[in-house]
Amino acid sequence: MNIDFPLILTLLTLGTGLVWLVDILFLRRGRLAKVAAGGESPATDEEETDEPYLIELCRSFFPILLIVLILRSFLVEPFQIPSGSMLPTLQVGDFILVNKFAYGVRLPVLRTKILSVGEPKRGDIMVFKYPVDGKTNFIKRVIGVPGDHIRYHNETLYINGKAVPKEYIADLPPYRLFEEHLGKVNHKMYHIPGASDPRADGEWVVPPHEYFMMGDNRDNSDDSRFWGFVPEHLIVGKAFAIWMHMKGWELPSFSRDRLLN
């Protein structure tokens, strides 16, 4: 089941905040009046008696929920890598940090951009919502930006008519390791000899406000070659660091901590 955590967090924050606000504006006076009528005099407003448990709970949790909502909606959000489509750059079980501010400030849940900060660039590792369902988080590398002509043929990537340079490094069965030079970004990538899917070959022109995405594990990646472009409104943010690795029930490891290209 795909749980919409941002929606749940937003509703909890709004709910606890609303209960607290209603208490401050309307309910609290009545409790204080009852205390005064009974001849009691609490030292401070915070020491008032008979505060309902629900209100106490909301008053305690609202500031925490609000801070978490602001941090993960506008600044940084953690994600865990679920598949091997970005090998060798990202491994299954890597925990990454995603900069939510890099491509603009967006409203939580609605994902409406309210402040433009920057645009995705070729070579960025980007988290986005899967265009097919608009809900599942995907992570791939930005290959094409608006206006680019992309061609992929016989395991060779062409951008605007030029083959993207790549250098052979080693055979790591079943993979063949290369370093690809994508503009200013140099990154490792995999090919699997004899496993190229002919359906991956094609040509595309990237429309305005959309992006062409591919995994670094080129022969084992469900990406724009198969389902098309990523619209700007589905962008979540830019992945910038691995901070922990934990696969299954293993103990967490920090040996892979590093910044990403």
Side-chain angles (χ1 to χ4, degrees):
M1 184 171 64
N2 191 11
I3 299 175
D4 193 338
F5 182 73
L7 177 59
I8 293 173
L9 178 61
T10 301
L11 292 177
L12 284 174
T13 305
L14 291 175
T16 54
L18 182 61
V19 170
W20 191 19
L21 181 63
V22 169
D23 180 59
I24 291 174
L25 295 179
F26 304 107
L27 304 180
R28 191 157 160 242
R29 291 182 194 169
R31 292 199 306 275
L32 289 173
K34 287 177 65 176
V35 170
E40 301 177 30
S41 179
T44 65
D45 288 345
E46 286 74 18
E47 294 178 11
E48 62 186 81
T49 59
D50 299 327
E51 181 179 61
Y53 178 71
L54 176 62
I55 293 174
E56 180 184 357
L57 201 65
C58 291
R59 176 168 56 82
S60 300
F61 276 97
F62 172 69
I64 299 171
L65 291 170
L66 181 62
I67 291 171
V68 173
L69 180 65
I70 291 172
L71 287 176
R72 77 181 306 277
S73 297
F74 303 116
L75 298 177
V76 175
E77 183 175 1
F79 288 90
Q80 185 179 21
I81 302 302
S83 75
S85 70
M86 281 296 290
L87 286 170
T89 308
L90 297 172
Q91 297 181 5
V92 176
D94 281 347
F95 282 78
I96 62 169
L97 294 176
V98 174
N99 184 343
K100 304 291 287 288
F101 190 76
Y103 303 138
V105 178
R106 300 171 187 275
L107 294 175
V109 181
L110 299 176
R111 296 199 293 269
T112 302
K113 183 185 285 189
I114 57 176
L115 177 63
S116 183
V117 177
E119 303 295 336
K121 299 178 178 61
R122 283 192 215 99
D124 285 358
I125 299 175
M126 189 169 82
V127 174
F128 55 93
K129 298 295 182 182
Y130 184 33
V132 175
D133 64 16
K135 297 178 181 179
T136 307
N137 289 316
F138 266 43
I139 182 165
K140 308 289 180 186
R141 193 177 295 275
V142 178
I143 300 298
V145 298
D148 280 348
H149 179 274
I150 307 296
R151 180 173 177 240
Y152 191 80
H153 182 67
N154 287 337
E155 297 189 343
T156 300
L157 173 65
Y158 301 84
I159 299 179
N160 298 325
K162 296 181 179 179
V164 175
K166 62 181 180 182
E167 299 171 0
Y168 168 78
I169 297 177
D171 279 325
L172 304 172
Y175 300 110
R176 182 166 289 173
L177 179 64
F178 293 85
E179 182 171 73
E180 185 173 71
H181 306 283
L182 193 58
K184 296 181 180 180
V185 175
N186 300 325
H187 68 95
K188 302 293 193 302
M189 55 167 289
Y190 279 156
H191 278 303
I192 304 175
S196 179
D197 188 339
R199 296 176 303 158
D201 288 0
E203 295 188 41
W204 305 265
V205 176
V206 186
H209 310 294
E210 299 191 8
Y211 298 88
F212 192 90
M213 313 297 298
M214 291 175 66
D216 291 349
N217 192 354
R218 290 290 161 79
D219 299 315
N220 190 19
S221 173
D222 182 21
D223 53 39
S224 289
R225 294 171 292 177
F226 303 97
W227 40 252
F229 308 104
V230 175
E232 192 267 347
H233 72 274
L234 293 182
I235 292 174
V236 174
K238 179 182 179 181
F240 68 92
I242 301 170
W243 64 280
M244 186 179 73
H245 179 86
M246 186 173 70
K247 190 175 180 180
W249 294 101
E250 297 175 356
L251 291 175
S253 167
F254 298 93
S255 61
R256 284 181 49 75
D257 294 9
R258 63 186 178 88
L259 295 176
L260 296 169
N261 286 335

